[in-house]
Amino acid sequence: MNRRECLALLGMIAALPVPVLAQQPGAVRRLGVLSVIASDDVIGQARLAEALAGLGWKKRDNLEIDWRSGGGDRARIARLAGELIALKPDVLLALGTPSVEELRRRSTTIPIVFAVVTDPVSQGFVENLAHPGGNVTGFTDYDGPLAGKWLEMLTQVTPKLSRVVVVYNPATAPFAPLMLRTIEDAARTLHVTVEPAPVHDAASISALASRRDGGFLILPDFFTMANRGQLLAAIAQARAPAVFWSRTFVDEGGLMSYSTDSAEQLRRAADYIDRILKGARPADLPVQNPTKFELTVNLKTARESGVTVHPGLIALANDVIE
């Protein structure tokens, strides 16, 4: 092949549309995943691999997955974000708000898909839901009426509650004021007093055990998930009913949860990863709100805490732990 023919060939390759280049046989793409908490919590590695395999992306075949778990430690999350960026992945998956923050801070060009994130617009991750702009898009874990539903669930237990303590860490849940407004609006209708209870360390979590004259509502927050063992112990000591933002808490002894379907979140995120690997731009993929929710009730915990859950709520549950 002479020089002219070589240049002509290179020109043809450069002119190929991105999706064609992305699917060249034998090409191995790279996905970096940054999870706020441990990999088996909320969304796990096996689920991600399964969802991607269903779309034709198989580990050690045409896709390498680099998974990093922050374990609830903000400094560790920041360090791991740097590690992933250094690997030059084709696309990034950010699980949780801090993961998005740290990855965005380090790259404005690598496509980022997020999941399990609340209110990405007010947090500045995207311009708006329909047209995110930039290199970030994904799936939220919160819909407006959800916070009111949590409070309503707590009014469907006996003895009846008149006060609910709302637990969150202001440093790691910057979206909490949005949820508190919705909860307070619902509280007026339900005739319940709402009391915010910020927590930020082991001592403030342990202090919750003295709140024996009401119930607990735990807001979505990687801090509460990372410290769920101590949080569940304090609530058990208080012998008070509680509703949580993830069924992980209920599987480990919490009373009940109403949450997004984490498996569904992962499947939808995998679809966006697939589309980006085939040439789509994050700016053209709208941010989507959750479409599936799951209600889980732990009757064993109810008996131990002296609480009776309304039969109607139990009948609506996706899963009942006996």
Side-chain angles (χ1 to χ4, degrees), residues 216-232:
F216 292 95
L217 195 165
I218 314 303
L219 294 186
D221 182 356
F222 84 87
F223 177 85
T224 58
M225 178 62 78
N227 294 277
R228 64 188 180 278
Q230 186 184 4
L231 184 60
L232 287 166

Side-chain angles (χ1 to χ4, degrees), residues 173-223:
F175 42 78
L178 169 72
M179 294 183 176
L180 280 168
R181 285 194 294 272
T182 302
I183 292 168
E184 287 165 353
D185 287 344
R188 284 189 283 272
T189 301
L190 297 168
H191 307 292
V192 174
T193 299
V194 171
E195 181 181 331
V199 293
H200 56 276
D201 56 16
S204 56
I205 294 175
S206 296
L208 296 175
S210 64
R211 307 287 186 98
R212 299 174 182 270
D213 57 343
F216 292 95
L217 195 165
I218 314 303
L219 294 186
D221 182 356
F222 84 87
F223 177 85

Side-chain angles (χ1 to χ4, degrees), residues 36 72 74 96-99 101 116-119 122-123 125 141-142 150 166-181 183 196-200 217-225 245:
V36 168
R74 189 56 185 261
T97 291
S99 296
E101 290 176 340
V116 199
V117 167
T118 301
D119 197 15
S122 71
Q123 294 195 76
F125 298 157
D141 66 346
Y142 176 73
W150 289 328
V166 181
V167 180
Y168 63 97
N169 184 340
T172 53
F175 42 78
L178 169 72
M179 294 183 176
L180 280 168
R181 285 194 294 272
I183 292 168
V199 293
H200 56 276
L217 195 165
I218 314 303
L219 294 186
D221 182 356
F222 84 87
F223 177 85
T224 58
M225 178 62 78
W245 62 274

Side-chain angles (χ1 to χ4, degrees), residues 126-142:
V126 297
E127 293 176 7
N128 59 65
L129 300 185
H131 304 285
N135 64 320
V136 180
T137 188
F139 301 87
T140 73
D141 66 346
Y142 176 73

Side-chain angles (χ1 to χ4, degrees), residues 3-220:
R3 182 172 180 275
R4 179 175 296 178
E5 292 171 331
C6 182
L7 290 174
L9 178 60
L10 291 173
M12 290 173 61
I13 293 173
L16 285 173
V18 173
V20 175
L21 288 173
Q23 300 179 74
Q24 288 300 306
V28 177
R29 313 304 296 279
R30 190 164 214 140
L31 166 66
V33 184
L34 182 57
S35 174
V36 168
I37 51 183
S39 60
D40 290 334
D41 291 328
V42 184
I43 294 180
Q45 296 186 52
R47 285 181 176 177
L48 177 63
E50 181 182 357
L52 289 168
L55 296 166
W57 297 101
K58 299 181 180 180
K59 293 174 66 176
R60 295 180 296 277
D61 184 359
N62 58 357
L63 182 69
E64 289 292 335
I65 302 177
D66 299 296
W67 188 292
R68 300 290 187 274
S69 302
D73 184 329
R74 189 56 185 261
R76 176 177 168 81
I77 292 167
R79 177 172 59 79
L80 294 176
E83 286 184 12
L84 285 175
I85 296 296
L87 294 173
K88 301 187 184 330
D90 296 285
V91 60
L92 290 158
L93 174 61
L95 303 178
T97 291
S99 296
V100 186
E101 290 176 340
E102 297 299 340
L103 291 173
R104 271 184 82 245
R105 190 171 293 137
R106 289 163 174 78
S107 178
T108 57
T109 56
I110 299 174
I112 299 172
V113 177
F114 62 74
V116 199
V117 167
T118 301
D119 197 15
V121 176
S122 71
Q123 294 195 76
F125 298 157
V126 297
E127 293 176 7
N128 59 65
L129 300 185
H131 304 285
N135 64 320
V136 180
T137 188
F139 301 87
T140 73
D141 66 346
Y142 176 73
D143 199 15
L146 187 59
K149 181 65 177 178
W150 289 328
L151 189 64
E152 182 183 349
M153 288 170 62
L154 281 172
T155 66
Q156 296 182 53
V157 301
T158 305
K160 186 176 180 180
L161 299 177
S162 60
R163 185 172 70 93
V164 172
V165 175
V166 181
V167 180
Y168 63 97
N169 184 340
T172 53
F175 42 78
L178 169 72
M179 294 183 176
L180 280 168
R181 285 194 294 272
T182 302
I183 292 168
E184 287 165 353
D185 287 344
R188 284 189 283 272
T189 301
L190 297 168
H191 307 292
V192 174
T193 299
V194 171
E195 181 181 331
V199 293
H200 56 276
D201 56 16
S204 56
I205 294 175
S206 296
L208 296 175
S210 64
R211 307 287 186 98
R212 299 174 182 270
D213 57 343
F216 292 95
L217 195 165
I218 314 303
L219 294 186

